Amino acid sequence: MKLSYIAVIIFSIYFLLPLYILVMIAFSPAKYTIESLYPPLTFKSFTLNNLVYAFTQYDFIHPFIKSLSVATLVGILGLVIGIPAGYGLSRLPGKIAYPLLVLLLVTNMVPGIVVAIPISAEFIRLHLFDSIPGLALVQELITLPLATFIMQGTFSAVPREIEYQARIDGASTLSYFKNVLIPTALPGIIAAFLISWMFSWDEFTYAIIISPIHPTLPVEIYVNITRGNELAAVAFSLVFTIPVIILTLFLQKYLKGEYLAGGVKA
């Protein structure tokens, strides 16, 4: 038992140490962190000047709004397409549905850099280059197969008898979806949205190629690092993590194995 506690502590330190260092750099004078040859691992002084300097000297609002818009659109598109796709696959025989699911997931095995360049050339012609809809459509290549996989498992876990009973009671297809299926599968739907949103929020490869002129926040952080504006990058990174933490805490009850694997509560 003690060994398990020690393992938990070691894993906690491993995952939380980068976040702790990020907070310490953000709220410590630069002479104790990035300007120090041997920066300490404890707070020597506290300051808000780093954040004030970063947010007054560099553009944060536009990249943040673009990242938020793209991630939200990716989550919504994932549900709009993933729900009917997942329902259709859940009603197909397993020997047909599972090869189709594997085929969808194969798209995630292709490196993004390989397909991003030809897509960007086509998007220039379609006036989707450097736009929120264009970037959201490209990121769906990653998130839509995952959302469809979650929705397929979720709908497969809903007993067929519920659908048969609703049909017997005279429910139309739209009424069955609205009043029975969607409420029953709501945990899986929220899990699919959350996974899609998080993948998009942190996505970098497509963002830097498809949207280089008006970048998302991950690209803006990278640009500040390469230009030597480490304090701005640290301040932006700190704020960058806040929506993820809030969303994760708010929806943490849905981040369970049964939901991510597509199951629903009986």
Side-chain angles (χ1 to χ4, degrees):
M1 182 63 72
K2 290 183 178 178
L3 189 61
S4 62
Y5 283 125
I6 294 174
V8 170
I9 292 173
I10 292 174
F11 274 106
S12 299
I13 293 174
Y14 179 77
F15 286 109
L16 292 178
L17 183 60
L19 184 60
Y20 168 74
I21 294 176
L22 177 67
V23 173
M24 190 175 67
I25 295 175
F27 293 105
S28 297
K31 64 180 181 180
Y32 294 121
T33 55
I34 61 175
E35 295 177 359
S36 174
L37 183 60
Y38 299 104
L41 284 177
T42 57
F43 276 92
K44 297 296 183 182
S45 181
F46 180 85
T47 182
L48 293 175
N49 290 338
N50 297 334
L51 300 183
V52 173
Y53 174 78
F55 293 120
T56 55
Q57 298 298 318
Y58 301 98
D59 184 18
F60 168 79
I61 297 298
H62 292 95
F64 180 83
I65 291 177
K66 185 159 189 175
S67 287
L68 191 63
S69 302
V70 172
T72 304
L73 185 56
V74 167
I76 294 173
L77 282 175
L79 294 184
V80 169
I81 303 173
I83 287 177
Y87 176 77
L89 288 170
S90 72
R91 295 303 184 257
L92 289 175
K95 61 181 180 181
I96 299 176
Y98 292 125
L100 289 175
L101 282 172
V102 172
L103 186 62
L104 286 175
L105 294 174
V106 164
T107 59
N108 280 334
M109 300 177 187
V110 181
I113 191 82
V114 173
V115 295
I117 294 176
I119 289 176
S120 64
E122 191 65 20
F123 273 14
I124 292 175
R125 188 176 66 85
L126 298 173
H127 303 290
L128 288 172
F129 185 75
D130 201 43
S131 68
I132 291 174
L135 184 55
L137 286 174
V138 174
Q139 290 180 347
E140 287 294 340
L141 292 174
I142 303 174
T143 61
L144 185 57
L146 297 174
T148 302
F149 177 76
I150 294 174
M151 295 316 306
Q152 187 272 342
T154 299
F155 292 136
S156 294
V158 177
R160 292 287 186 92
E161 289 74 14
I162 295 178
E163 183 173 356
Y164 298 150
Q165 187 61 50
R167 300 289 188 188
I168 293 173
D169 292 339
S172 63
T173 301
L174 181 60
S175 177
Y176 167 70
F177 262 80
K178 178 182 177 183
N179 299 320
V180 180
L181 187 62
I182 298 300
T184 305
L186 189 59
I189 293 173
I190 293 177
F193 176 84
L194 189 57
I195 293 297
S196 301
W197 194 94
M198 284 184 171
F199 267 89
S200 172
W201 182 251
D202 195 35
E203 201 280 326
F204 181 81
T205 302
Y206 288 129
I208 198 171
I209 296 176
I210 304 295
S211 185
I213 302 173
H214 301 93
T216 58
L217 195 50
V219 177
E220 184 67 22
I221 292 172
Y222 168 77
V223 169
N224 277 288
I225 292 174
T226 56
R227 291 177 179 174
N229 306 323
E230 289 90 352
L231 289 179
V234 167
F236 292 173
S237 299
L238 184 64
V239 179
F240 184 64
T241 61
I242 293 176
V244 179
I245 295 174
I246 293 175
L247 196 61
T248 303
L249 292 176
F250 185 66
L251 301 175
Q252 61 177 326
K253 63 180 180 179
Y254 300 110
L255 291 177
K256 298 177 181 177
E258 60 192 272
Y259 298 142
L260 299 180
V264 296
K265 288 183 176 179

